[in-house]
Amino acid sequence: MENSKQMRTWLDDLGLNHPLVIAGPCSAETEEQVLKIAHELKDTDVNYYRAGIWKPRTRPGNFEGVGALGLKWLQKVKEETGLKTATEVANRAHVELALEHDIDLLWVGARSTVSPFIVQEIADALKGTDKIVLVKNPVNPDLSLWLGAVERLYSSDIKKLGVIHRGFSTYEKSKYRNIPEWQLAIELQTKFPDLPIINDPSHITGNRDMIFDVSQTALDLNFDGLIIETHHDPENAWSDAAQQVTPKTLVQIMNDLRIRKETDEEAEYKKSLSNLRAQIDIIDNQLIENLGKRMKVSDGIGKLKKRKNVAVLQSNRWNQILGAMILEGESKGLSEEFVLKMFKAIHQESINHQEKIMQA
Ligand code: PEP
Ligand code: MN
């Protein structure tokens, strides 16, 4: 797939002076609910109204969506509010029904992107459509799998394309529902600067209180838009209750976000600078997180040494680490002087930790 400017024409044609906004409930629940939320989102910055009709749930027994009936409700949304509509499709039947009901934007969900068979089936069913198709990242952090899905659609002559970053599953517990792995999204933007990229803070955070911060990071990293789950009564939503915001909160979030304008040379410079700084902030946080993890392991070693009455300082081991890290640093363009200074500081902190354990 070559990088084609054509991929983003649909977005440029909207002529927006703010990021693209897709909002609406996680799931369509009832006709009243769908219309109520849509009316509250009318006359805001929202461009597309989302609602899941077929819900892929991790385990059976939860609400699995209202099915094709919900497509009629989305049609009503368009008639009554003028909002364009969006839903997830996960097989050929979904695609055919969504096209029949003139849904304007279709997305491929994270659980579908992982399966080339399913993506191919969707791509075949959509062949040549002029609808917008967005591909969510697969649940696992695999850039090739994500791009592979986009390529399958591109090869099916679908030209209005884009991707949605909704974070990745991990075994380790974290404050996120799905870890953002920003570096991966940045790599994708670097490879395909003309492929629109939308952020999904709702599924990344799983928590409405974190939506603003993640949205801001996304905009700072030049994302083109946001998809935010919005419900008039979030606490009682039939799915993803903890992460949905009210239409009022959504409007507040959109007002508070710092949105960069891109026009002249000066703005271009500022944009690059803040993009780079946002990357630095993320990496610095990772550095601190990893150093904290290292110290925890070191504490474990301290306890072990105490139990066996072994000295804190093990010179051979320490020299080995230093030698290996100086070489490693060199291969990454880091000076010996810097690596030595940094590791001496880390080592000292580690000794302090272990000393404390020994003396406890
Ligand atoms: C959704 O957008 O409601 C959804 C199911 O998302 P994901 O595919 O990212 O889990
Ligand atoms: Mn959801």
Side-chain angles (χ1 to χ4, degrees):
M1 182 178 71
E2 74 273 29
N3 179 46
S4 158
K5 285 243 184 268
Q6 207 192 341
M7 288 190 296
R8 63 177 306 114
T9 329
W10 65 269
L11 183 59
D12 295 338
D13 285 351
L14 291 173
L16 304 175
N17 61 356
H18 60 78
L20 177 80
V21 187
I22 305 168
C26 175
S27 307
E29 298 165 4
T30 64
E31 181 171 346
E32 294 68 40
Q33 171 247 16
V34 168
L35 288 170
K36 183 171 174 50
I37 301 166
H39 277 280
E40 290 183 28
L41 291 175
K42 195 183 154 195
D43 303 324
T44 65
D45 280 349
V46 173
N47 306 104
Y48 287 84
Y49 184 79
R50 66 150 284 158
I53 301 296
W54 301 281
K55 298 305 297 176
R57 305 313 296 270
T58 305
R59 303 187 59 179
N62 293 311
F63 174 59
E64 294 195 322
V66 292
L69 175 65
L71 295 170
K72 300 245 184 293
W73 307 340
L74 283 177
Q75 276 188 309
K76 256 197 174 165
V77 164
K78 193 157 30 177
E79 278 163 28
E80 290 188 16
T81 67
L83 284 166
K84 283 177 274 184
T85 53
T87 201
E88 172 177 349
V89 288
N91 59 36
R92 173 179 287 278
H94 295 171
V95 168
E96 286 169 358
L97 282 163
L99 293 180
E100 257 171 49
H101 290 80
D102 200 28
I103 303 296
D104 303 288
L105 182 157
L106 311 171
W107 79 84
V108 178
R111 292 164 192 77
S112 302
T113 309
V114 288
S115 164
F117 288 122
I118 265 304
V119 173
Q120 192 57 53
E121 178 180 323
I122 295 171
D124 291 343
L126 279 167
K127 195 165 177 56
T129 185
D130 68 343
K131 303 291 185 193
I132 298 158
V133 183
L134 304 180
V135 184
K136 285 205 174 194
N137 63 256
V139 285
N140 54 324
D142 183 336
L143 186 58
S144 307
L145 200 54
W146 195 1
L147 276 175
V150 178
E151 276 164 355
R152 284 176 200 278
L153 293 161
Y154 191 79
S155 304
S156 254
D157 287 328
I158 298 151
K159 292 297 180 320
K160 296 181 179 171
L161 279 172
V163 293
I164 301 175
H165 178 217
R166 53 76 83 191
F168 303 91
S169 308
T170 48
Y171 178 66
E172 261 180 64
K173 275 224 166 322
S174 98
K175 64 175 179 172
Y176 298 104
R177 179 176 175 193
N178 293 291
I179 285 185
E181 303 290 7
W182 297 106
Q183 292 300 334
L184 212 135
I186 290 166
E187 201 180 321
L188 189 132
Q189 281 189 65
T190 314
K191 280 197 175 130
F192 294 97
D194 290 312
L195 184 63
I197 180 163
I198 314 297
N199 190 262
D200 177 348
S202 308
H203 291 92
I204 286 178
T205 64
N207 172 355
R208 64 183 133 268
D209 296 335
M210 292 163 70
I211 302 276
F212 179 82
D213 285 349
V214 167
S215 301
Q216 186 63 63
T217 302
L219 295 189
D220 291 342
L221 293 175
N222 283 332
F223 275 70
D224 296 290
L226 299 165
I227 175 165
I228 301 184
E229 288 188 342
T230 312
H231 195 289
H232 67 289
D233 183 10
E235 280 86 4
N236 293 308
W238 296 4
S239 58
D240 288 351
Q243 70 196 33
Q244 305 206 54
V245 295
T246 60
K248 199 166 154 236
T249 305
L250 180 77
V251 168
Q252 190 63 48
I253 289 174
M254 295 315 298
N255 279 340
D256 292 347
L257 284 171
R258 280 172 280 117
I259 297 161
R260 291 187 307 273
K261 296 169 189 65
E262 33 185 328
T263 40
D264 59 28
E265 294 260 33
E266 185 64 14
E268 194 58 39
Y269 158 75
K270 283 191 183 146
K271 188 170 115 182
S272 307
L273 190 69
S274 73
N275 188 332
L276 291 168
R277 284 182 174 158
Q279 290 184 45
I280 292 273
D281 290 348
I282 290 160
I283 296 168
D284 284 350
N285 276 313
Q286 288 169 343
L287 282 175
I288 290 291
E289 184 141 330
N290 275 327
L291 285 170
K293 272 191 201 156
R294 191 188 192 281
M295 287 308 152
K296 281 224 169 67
V297 175
S298 172
D299 287 350
I301 295 178
K303 284 181 197 142
L304 208 60
K305 285 177 180 167
K306 183 176 182 177
R307 224 185 309 136
K308 294 287 173 196
N309 202 24
V310 169
V312 163
L313 182 62
Q314 308 279 313
S315 308
N316 283 349
R317 163 82 180 143
W318 173 234
N319 284 334
Q320 256 173 20
I321 295 183
L322 264 189
M325 288 302 106
I326 287 171
L327 280 180
E328 193 62 31
E330 206 173 73
S331 77
K332 299 274 188 292
L334 304 173
S335 71
E336 180 173 340
E337 188 197 12
F338 170 69
V339 174
L340 264 177
K341 249 196 224 157
M342 180 177 68
F343 269 91
K344 277 187 182 160
I346 293 174
H347 190 221
Q348 188 56 56
E349 179 73 3
S350 192
I351 289 175
N352 294 350
H353 270 239
Q354 293 191 4
E355 273 299 320
K356 223 166 146 185
I357 288 169
M358 289 292 196
Q359 286 162 19

